[in-house]
Amino acid sequence: MIVFENVGKKYPNGFQGLKNVNLKIDQGEFVAIIGLSGAGKSTLLRTINRMHDITEGKLTVDDVDVMTLSGKSLRSFRRKIGMIFQSFNLITRTTVINNVLTAFVPDMSWFRSTFSLYTKEQKLKALECLDKVGILDKAFVRADQLSGGQQQRVALARTLAQNPQIILADEPVASLDPITAKSVMDDFKRINETMNITILINIHHVDLALQYCTRVIGIRAGEIVYDGPAKDVNDQVLQEIYQGAKEEAV
Protein backbone atom coordinates (compact mmCIF):
# COMPACT_ATOMS: atom_id res chain seq x y z
CA MET A 1 0.00 0.00 0.00
CA ILE A 2 1.16 3.50 -0.85
CA VAL A 3 -0.01 6.20 1.58
CA PHE A 4 0.41 9.96 1.19
CA GLU A 5 -0.41 11.92 4.36
CA ASN A 6 -0.51 15.71 3.94
CA VAL A 7 2.42 15.47 1.54
CA GLY A 8 3.97 18.60 0.10
CA LYS A 9 6.92 19.14 -2.21
CA LYS A 10 8.60 22.52 -2.45
CA TYR A 11 11.50 22.96 -4.86
CA PRO A 12 14.59 25.04 -4.00
CA ASN A 13 13.38 27.83 -6.30
CA GLY A 14 10.23 28.13 -4.18
CA PHE A 15 7.85 26.39 -6.58
CA GLN A 16 5.27 24.29 -4.77
CA GLY A 17 5.08 21.05 -6.74
CA LEU A 18 2.65 19.24 -4.41
CA LYS A 19 0.25 20.65 -1.84
CA ASN A 20 -1.36 18.69 1.00
CA VAL A 21 -1.69 15.42 -0.92
CA ASN A 22 -3.63 12.65 0.82
CA LEU A 23 -3.92 9.32 -1.02
CA LYS A 24 -4.09 5.60 -0.37
CA ILE A 25 -3.26 3.21 -3.18
CA ASP A 26 -3.75 -0.52 -2.57
CA GLN A 27 -1.65 -3.32 -4.00
CA GLY A 28 -2.84 -4.34 -7.47
CA GLU A 29 -4.54 -1.08 -8.44
CA PHE A 30 -4.15 0.40 -11.93
CA VAL A 31 -4.21 4.16 -11.46
CA ALA A 32 -4.03 6.96 -14.01
CA ILE A 33 -2.75 10.39 -12.99
CA ILE A 34 -4.04 13.14 -15.27
CA GLY A 35 -3.74 16.91 -15.42
CA LEU A 36 -2.14 19.79 -17.28
CA SER A 37 1.60 19.92 -17.95
CA GLY A 38 3.29 21.23 -14.82
CA ALA A 39 0.38 20.24 -12.59
CA GLY A 40 2.54 17.89 -10.49
CA LYS A 41 1.93 14.49 -12.14
CA SER A 42 5.58 13.55 -12.53
CA THR A 43 6.44 14.98 -9.13
CA LEU A 44 3.78 12.81 -7.52
CA LEU A 45 5.16 9.68 -9.18
CA ARG A 46 8.78 10.43 -8.41
CA THR A 47 8.25 10.98 -4.70
CA ILE A 48 7.19 7.34 -4.40
CA ASN A 49 10.64 6.00 -5.25
CA ARG A 50 12.51 8.98 -3.74
CA MET A 51 13.65 10.41 -7.07
CA HIS A 52 12.22 13.55 -5.47
CA ASP A 53 12.16 14.09 -1.72
CA ILE A 54 8.99 15.37 -0.12
CA THR A 55 9.32 18.47 2.06
CA GLU A 56 6.13 18.11 4.11
CA GLY A 57 3.97 15.30 5.45
CA LYS A 58 4.62 11.58 5.37
CA LEU A 59 4.84 9.04 2.55
CA THR A 60 4.87 5.32 3.28
CA VAL A 61 5.14 2.31 0.99
CA ASP A 62 4.21 -0.99 2.64
CA ASP A 63 4.43 0.74 6.03
CA VAL A 64 7.96 1.98 5.33
CA ASP A 65 8.50 5.73 5.70
CA VAL A 66 10.42 6.44 2.49
CA MET A 67 12.14 9.51 3.94
CA THR A 68 13.89 7.36 6.57
CA LEU A 69 15.71 5.34 3.90
CA SER A 70 19.27 5.92 2.76
CA GLY A 71 22.19 4.06 1.28
CA LYS A 72 21.70 0.31 0.93
CA SER A 73 18.17 0.36 2.35
CA LEU A 74 17.10 2.97 -0.23
CA ARG A 75 18.66 0.99 -3.07
CA SER A 76 16.92 -2.18 -1.89
CA PHE A 77 13.62 -0.31 -1.63
CA ARG A 78 13.94 1.03 -5.17
CA ARG A 79 14.44 -2.50 -6.51
CA LYS A 80 10.77 -3.16 -5.65
CA ILE A 81 9.63 -0.20 -7.75
CA GLY A 82 10.02 -0.24 -11.53
CA MET A 83 10.21 3.08 -13.39
CA ILE A 84 9.33 3.54 -17.05
CA PHE A 85 9.90 6.78 -18.93
CA GLN A 86 8.67 8.32 -22.17
CA SER A 87 12.19 8.17 -23.61
CA PHE A 88 12.64 4.38 -23.02
CA ASN A 89 16.17 4.86 -21.57
CA LEU A 90 17.64 1.93 -23.50
CA ILE A 91 21.24 1.26 -24.52
CA THR A 92 20.45 1.44 -28.21
CA ARG A 93 23.76 0.08 -29.54
CA THR A 94 23.35 -3.32 -27.91
CA THR A 95 20.81 -6.14 -28.10
CA VAL A 96 17.37 -6.25 -26.59
CA ILE A 97 18.29 -9.05 -24.18
CA ASN A 98 21.35 -7.13 -22.98
CA ASN A 99 19.08 -4.20 -22.15
CA VAL A 100 16.82 -6.43 -20.07
CA LEU A 101 19.80 -8.02 -18.34
CA THR A 102 20.87 -4.61 -17.01
CA ALA A 103 18.03 -4.97 -14.50
CA PHE A 104 20.24 -7.45 -12.60
CA VAL A 105 23.34 -5.23 -12.44
CA PRO A 106 22.56 -3.59 -9.05
CA ASP A 107 22.57 -7.02 -7.40
CA MET A 108 25.81 -8.20 -9.05
CA SER A 109 29.41 -7.91 -7.95
CA TRP A 110 31.59 -5.26 -9.55
CA PHE A 111 33.55 -7.92 -11.46
CA ARG A 112 30.50 -9.73 -12.88
CA SER A 113 28.71 -6.51 -13.84
CA THR A 114 31.82 -4.98 -15.46
CA PHE A 115 32.30 -7.99 -17.73
CA SER A 116 28.57 -8.71 -18.20
CA LEU A 117 28.89 -12.17 -16.63
CA TYR A 118 25.20 -12.98 -16.27
CA THR A 119 24.07 -16.35 -14.94
CA LYS A 120 21.99 -18.83 -16.90
CA GLU A 121 19.07 -18.10 -14.56
CA GLN A 122 19.31 -14.36 -15.26
CA LYS A 123 19.36 -14.96 -19.01
CA LEU A 124 16.32 -17.25 -18.80
CA LYS A 125 14.52 -14.66 -16.66
CA ALA A 126 15.26 -11.96 -19.24
CA LEU A 127 13.87 -14.13 -22.03
CA GLU A 128 10.79 -14.89 -19.94
CA CYS A 129 10.14 -11.17 -19.42
CA LEU A 130 10.49 -10.49 -23.15
CA ASP A 131 7.98 -13.26 -23.79
CA LYS A 132 5.53 -11.63 -21.37
CA VAL A 133 5.49 -8.47 -23.48
CA GLY A 134 5.39 -10.29 -26.80
CA ILE A 135 8.84 -9.55 -28.22
CA LEU A 136 10.80 -12.69 -27.46
CA ASP A 137 11.61 -12.92 -31.17
CA LYS A 138 13.51 -9.62 -30.90
CA ALA A 139 15.83 -10.76 -28.09
CA PHE A 140 19.02 -10.66 -30.19
CA VAL A 141 18.13 -7.63 -32.30
CA ARG A 142 19.83 -4.32 -31.56
CA ALA A 143 17.55 -1.97 -29.66
CA ASP A 144 17.98 0.82 -32.20
CA GLN A 145 16.46 -1.42 -34.88
CA LEU A 146 13.11 -1.52 -33.06
CA SER A 147 10.05 0.68 -33.40
CA GLY A 148 9.08 3.02 -30.58
CA GLY A 149 6.43 0.64 -29.32
CA GLN A 150 8.86 -2.27 -29.31
CA GLN A 151 11.44 -0.20 -27.44
CA GLN A 152 8.88 0.65 -24.79
CA ARG A 153 8.14 -3.07 -24.43
CA VAL A 154 11.84 -3.69 -23.88
CA ALA A 155 11.76 -1.08 -21.11
CA LEU A 156 8.75 -2.83 -19.61
CA ALA A 157 10.47 -6.25 -19.83
CA ARG A 158 13.54 -4.79 -18.10
CA THR A 159 11.32 -3.50 -15.32
CA LEU A 160 9.59 -6.88 -14.94
CA ALA A 161 13.00 -8.51 -14.52
CA GLN A 162 13.28 -6.63 -11.21
CA ASN A 163 10.24 -8.51 -9.87
CA PRO A 164 8.65 -5.18 -8.88
CA GLN A 165 5.65 -4.78 -6.63
CA ILE A 166 4.96 -1.34 -8.13
CA ILE A 167 5.50 0.13 -11.60
CA LEU A 168 5.63 3.90 -12.07
CA ALA A 169 5.14 4.91 -15.69
CA ASP A 170 5.84 8.55 -16.60
CA GLU A 171 4.11 9.31 -19.93
CA PRO A 172 5.05 5.91 -21.39
CA VAL A 173 2.91 6.26 -24.53
CA ALA A 174 3.28 10.00 -25.18
CA SER A 175 5.62 9.54 -28.14
CA LEU A 176 3.74 6.63 -29.70
CA ASP A 177 1.09 6.64 -32.42
CA PRO A 178 -2.49 5.84 -31.28
CA ILE A 179 -2.49 2.18 -32.37
CA THR A 180 0.89 1.46 -30.79
CA ALA A 181 -0.11 3.35 -27.63
CA LYS A 182 -3.14 1.10 -27.22
CA SER A 183 -1.00 -1.98 -27.72
CA VAL A 184 1.43 -0.88 -25.01
CA MET A 185 -1.49 -0.07 -22.69
CA ASP A 186 -2.76 -3.61 -23.34
CA ASP A 187 0.57 -4.87 -21.98
CA PHE A 188 0.25 -2.74 -18.84
CA LYS A 189 -3.31 -3.94 -18.29
CA ARG A 190 -2.41 -7.60 -18.71
CA ILE A 191 0.56 -7.31 -16.35
CA ASN A 192 -1.57 -5.54 -13.77
CA GLU A 193 -4.28 -8.18 -13.91
CA THR A 194 -2.15 -11.32 -14.14
CA MET A 195 0.73 -10.34 -11.84
CA ASN A 196 -1.10 -8.10 -9.34
CA ILE A 197 1.51 -5.37 -9.79
CA THR A 198 0.39 -1.91 -8.74
CA ILE A 199 0.70 0.45 -11.71
CA LEU A 200 0.59 4.24 -11.53
CA ILE A 201 0.68 5.87 -14.92
CA ASN A 202 1.09 9.56 -15.64
CA ILE A 203 -0.75 9.97 -18.92
CA HIS A 204 -2.01 12.86 -21.02
CA HIS A 205 -4.30 10.70 -23.20
CA VAL A 206 -7.48 10.97 -21.14
CA ASP A 207 -9.31 8.49 -23.38
CA LEU A 208 -6.68 5.82 -22.68
CA ALA A 209 -6.75 6.58 -18.96
CA LEU A 210 -10.50 6.03 -18.84
CA GLN A 211 -10.39 2.95 -21.06
CA TYR A 212 -7.62 1.04 -19.28
CA CYS A 213 -7.33 2.26 -15.70
CA THR A 214 -9.74 1.50 -12.89
CA ARG A 215 -8.99 4.65 -10.89
CA VAL A 216 -8.18 8.20 -11.89
CA ILE A 217 -6.37 10.83 -9.86
CA GLY A 218 -6.75 14.36 -11.21
CA ILE A 219 -4.16 16.91 -10.15
CA ARG A 220 -4.17 20.66 -10.69
CA ALA A 221 -1.46 23.05 -9.51
CA GLY A 222 -0.07 20.42 -7.14
CA GLU A 223 -3.42 19.60 -5.51
CA ILE A 224 -5.62 16.53 -5.89
CA VAL A 225 -8.94 17.72 -7.32
CA TYR A 226 -10.37 14.31 -8.25
CA ASP A 227 -9.81 10.80 -6.96
CA GLY A 228 -12.29 8.13 -7.95
CA PRO A 229 -13.32 5.38 -10.35
CA ALA A 230 -12.51 5.94 -14.01
CA LYS A 231 -16.14 5.20 -14.89
CA ASP A 232 -17.28 8.23 -12.89
CA VAL A 233 -15.11 10.73 -14.77
CA ASN A 234 -17.40 13.02 -16.76
CA ASP A 235 -17.11 16.38 -18.50
CA GLN A 236 -17.62 18.28 -15.25
CA VAL A 237 -14.78 16.37 -13.57
CA LEU A 238 -12.49 16.99 -16.54
CA GLN A 239 -13.30 20.70 -16.51
CA GLU A 240 -12.31 20.81 -12.84
CA ILE A 241 -9.02 19.00 -13.49
CA TYR A 242 -8.11 20.98 -16.59
CA GLN A 243 -9.35 24.35 -15.38
CA GLY A 244 -7.14 27.03 -16.85
CA ALA A 245 -6.25 25.12 -20.01
CA LYS A 246 -8.19 27.53 -22.23
CA GLU A 247 -6.58 30.52 -20.59
CA GLU A 248 -3.12 29.02 -21.24
CA ALA A 249 -3.97 28.49 -24.90
CA VAL A 250 -5.05 32.08 -25.43
Side-chain angles (χ1 to χ4, degrees), residues 41-92:
K41 303 188 299 298
S42 293
T43 301
L44 184 70
L45 277 189
R46 296 175 188 216
T47 58
I48 295 172
N49 64 354
R50 280 282 302 277
M51 286 183 73
H52 292 333
D53 288 343
I54 64 173
T55 50
E56 298 174 71
K58 185 177 182 181
L59 172 55
T60 58
V61 177
D62 292 336
D63 297 321
V64 174
D65 184 339
V66 301
M67 291 303 294
T68 65
L69 301 172
S70 62
K72 186 177 180 180
S73 63
L74 179 58
R75 290 192 295 272
S76 178
F77 167 76
R78 283 175 170 160
R79 295 290 290 150
K80 301 176 184 178
I81 303 176
M83 187 84 190
I84 295 176
F85 302 90
Q86 176 182 344
S87 57
F88 317 136
N89 286 5
L90 301 182
I91 306 169
T92 56

Side-chain angles (χ1 to χ4, degrees), residues 199-227:
I199 298 178
L200 284 81
I201 182 167
N202 166 8
I203 186 167
H204 73 268
H205 295 290
V206 175
D207 56 335
L208 293 180
L210 301 185
Q211 180 180 347
Y212 285 94
C213 301
T214 53
R215 177 178 172 187
V216 169
I217 293 170
I219 187 167
R220 190 183 76 231
E223 296 182 278
I224 304 301
V225 294
Y226 177 82
D227 178 12

